[in-house]
Every structure is written in structure tokens, then in C-alpha cells.
Amino acid sequence: MSTSTATSADALGTPAPVLSFSPVVLSVPGRPVDLQVRVSAPATGTSLPLILLSHGHGPSNNLSSLNGYAPLANFWAAHGFAVVQPTHLTSRTLSHLVADAPGAPDFWRSRAEDMTHILDGLDMIERAVPQLAGRIDHTKVALAGHSLGGFTAALLLGAGLNDPDTGKVVHLVEPRIKAGVLLAAPGRGGDALNGPMAEQWPIIGAVDFSTMTAPALVVAGDKDDSRHFTDMGPDWHADPYTLAPGPKSLLTLFDAEHGLGGIAGYDAAETTDENPERVAALARLTAAYLHTQLHPGAPTWQGACEALTTGPNPIGRVESK
């Protein structure tokens, strides 16, 4: 293990055994199917901060669901967070049930509302998971999302959205969420959204980052060239940092493509840039960032950033504003 990853791991403490429980089922009036979530948490400890994790929309049948993103969810839970992962209506596991439901195919509003439903039902979720009742700190809530999940995270952190159906700007900010992590999230619209998929997913270009005021870490791969949406190149994925007000940090991962090394699942065949060390370092850096955001004054994030630049082969660079 390189210095750049070991130091930040030490700051987070020794990993604990993890309990993972699914599905916890929430009945949501008007939702075409029940909201199912996976909950992962350390086996011991109290006052656990909470991370809501929004999946993307990849080609796998099951990773874009509560069954994905184990490399992140397991690490975060092992280092003191409770992690809740919903299966959004965009999941391929539900496509045969919701293809004609209102909001298809992007379900942008439903995806954001899923997180609010989880927070509203947090007491019930705790009671449903063995050995978890009373252990989550409901005042320490963070959010992470990958790809389309990063789009969802932006809305919940304050970004506006020009509803294509009404022409009105919609705000779905969730004030209980204190900070977020946007992983390979989409960037700006307008002339930049000019790829072949732009017409099929116009909602991607409808986001206004100028009102995304909550603290956030934006993670972008410097080889993440999403030509299906834009010809801007990898810089497009830095837009949530560039176009949003502070406080924000940008972690640029060297040689990382859209999978950021393989965060969506262990040994996922469609990961184009598989790199276990990159995934491990990303898990540590995001955990350190959210730990400091939810425990103001904690030096965890500063230490992780310093460690990132002291190793012989840094996996990326960080800038902040």
C-alpha cells in the first residue's frame, strides 16, 4: 500500500466488521413499486453518521440497484458510517415494471424524492435492521452519487433544474443533507450538451449548478471522456465544481475513466479502467471528506489531502474553493 493511501486509512481508524441487510421495504404512495433499500453499518458503535448512496445507470442488470457499489458502501460502513442504498426507478431490475410509469425513463424527480422518503422513514429503517435501532445520528447526513446518481445528488444539494415539461425551475434541495460527494457526475447543458445521447436525455443538460450551495466533493476522472453527451472532454465532469459556489473541493483522479477504477461493483466486467488501488484510495478520500464535513474541525480530510501529495505515485490531485 502506498503512503498516499495508508495515512488517510489510519486517520479513519481500524475497519470494523460490517452488517448488511436488504431489502428494507418502504411503501411510498403514488410510487409504482415499493422503495427497497440496502442498509450497511458497522457491527458496533453509536451516533453513526449516515451516507445516502445514489446508484448510476450503467449497463449491468444488477449493479444499478441496492446491490451495487459494494467497494464504497462496505468501506464506508467499516469506517463508522451507516450507508443506505435505494433501488431507484431507473434500475434495470425494475424496467419491466415501470417502463410506462410517469417520469420514465429518467425518473429525475422520483430519484431525488427517494432520498427524502428514506430520511422521513429513518426510524422505521433502523427498527427493521437487526441491531441498528437508535445507533444512527439523524443530524449527520451526507449523500453520494455516481454518474446519474451524481446528477441526483446535485439536485438534493441545491442545484436547480429547468423542468422540460413545464419550463419552470424546480428546486428539490433536501436541507437535512449536510454535504455530498458527486462521482463522475454530468456537467453543463446548453451548447456543451451536443453528443448523440443529448436528445434522449435532455434532462441532463437542464441543471443549474449556481444554486448548489451545500458543501460537496466533486470527483472527476481525467480520462472520463463522455462523447455520447459532449465533446468537452473530461473537463465536463468538473462542471459541478467549476460552476457551483463554494465551499467545494475537486478531486481529479489520474487515468480514471467513468467507472473511477471500478466503484460500481467488485470485478465488474464493464469497468473500462479497473484499478483496485484507485478504488481503495477513492473510498478512503471520500470517507475522510465526509467525516470532516459531518464532524467540523476534524483533521481527517486535511490529512488525507496531505497524504495524497506525499506518496511516490499520487492517484490524483485536490483543489478547493
Side-chain angles (χ1 to χ4, degrees):
M1 183 182 293
S2 70
T3 304
S4 63
T5 57
T7 305
S8 56
D10 294 342
L12 291 165
T14 303
V18 171
L19 300 171
S20 185
F21 189 85
S22 71
V24 178
V25 181
L26 287 75
S27 179
V28 177
R31 199 176 190 271
V33 295
D34 288 338
L35 174 57
Q36 297 193 3
V37 306
R38 174 183 296 276
V39 182
S40 303
T44 59
T46 57
S47 299
L48 303 175
L50 175 66
I51 300 176
L52 307 177
L53 176 54
S54 179
H55 64 73
H57 187 59
S60 291
N61 288 320
N62 287 284
L63 292 182
S64 292
S65 75
L66 57 76
N67 291 315
Y69 296 87
L72 295 181
N74 288 345
F75 183 93
W76 293 338
H79 289 86
F81 295 90
V83 183
V84 179
Q85 300 172 253
T87 296
H88 295 304
L89 293 180
T90 53
S91 175
R92 287 178 183 265
T93 64
L94 300 178
S95 57
H96 61 297
L97 298 174
V98 302
D100 298 323
D106 48 74
F107 292 110
W108 61 268
R109 186 185 293 270
S110 171
R111 287 178 59 96
E113 289 174 343
D114 285 346
M115 299 314 198
T116 291
H117 294 315
I118 289 169
L119 294 178
D120 290 345
L122 199 51
D123 285 330
M124 185 280 288
I125 292 171
E126 280 191 86
R127 291 193 299 270
V129 178
Q131 303 179 46
L132 189 62
R135 295 177 55 209
I136 295 177
D137 185 339
H138 293 208
T139 69
K140 289 182 168 57
V141 179
L143 169 69
H146 175 235
S147 192
L148 186 58
F151 169 93
T152 300
L155 299 182
L156 290 160
L157 295 170
L161 184 140
N162 189 1
D163 186 340
D165 294 328
T166 66
K168 296 180 179 179
V169 176
V170 176
H171 289 279
L172 299 176
V173 61
E174 174 50 74
R176 288 172 289 187
I177 296 172
K178 307 303 183 187
V181 174
L182 279 64
L183 302 157
R188 74 187 73 180
D191 293 342
L193 195 71
N194 53 20
M197 290 291 289
E199 289 187 8
Q200 297 181 44
W201 287 80
I203 199 70
I204 292 296
V207 175
D208 174 12
F209 295 110
S210 69
T211 57
M212 193 176 77
T213 57
L217 171 64
V218 176
V219 181
D222 69 1
K223 297 291 193 295
D224 186 3
D225 193 354
S226 297
R227 291 280 163 169
H228 52 298
F229 280 126
T230 182
D231 61 6
M232 267 187 67
D235 287 347
W236 188 61
H237 294 285
D239 277 352
Y241 171 80
T242 306
L243 302 178
K248 298 291 184 293
S249 293
L250 174 65
L251 168 61
T252 302
L253 293 174
F254 301 150
D255 297 321
E257 298 175 15
H258 199 61
L260 303 179
I263 61 172
Y266 296 117
D267 298 321
E270 73 269 17
T271 298
T272 56
D273 63 332
E274 186 171 33
N275 186 316
E277 183 178 16
R278 180 182 300 136
V279 174
L282 175 58
R284 293 183 179 99
L285 284 158
T286 51
Y289 176 81
L290 293 178
H291 181 268
T292 291
Q293 288 297 326
L294 297 175
H295 301 86
T300 326
W301 173 237
Q302 180 181 348
C305 291
E306 292 172 354
L308 185 65
T309 60
T310 57
N313 297 298
I315 59 103
R317 66 176 182 272
V318 173
E319 56 191 277
S320 298
K321 64 179 184 180

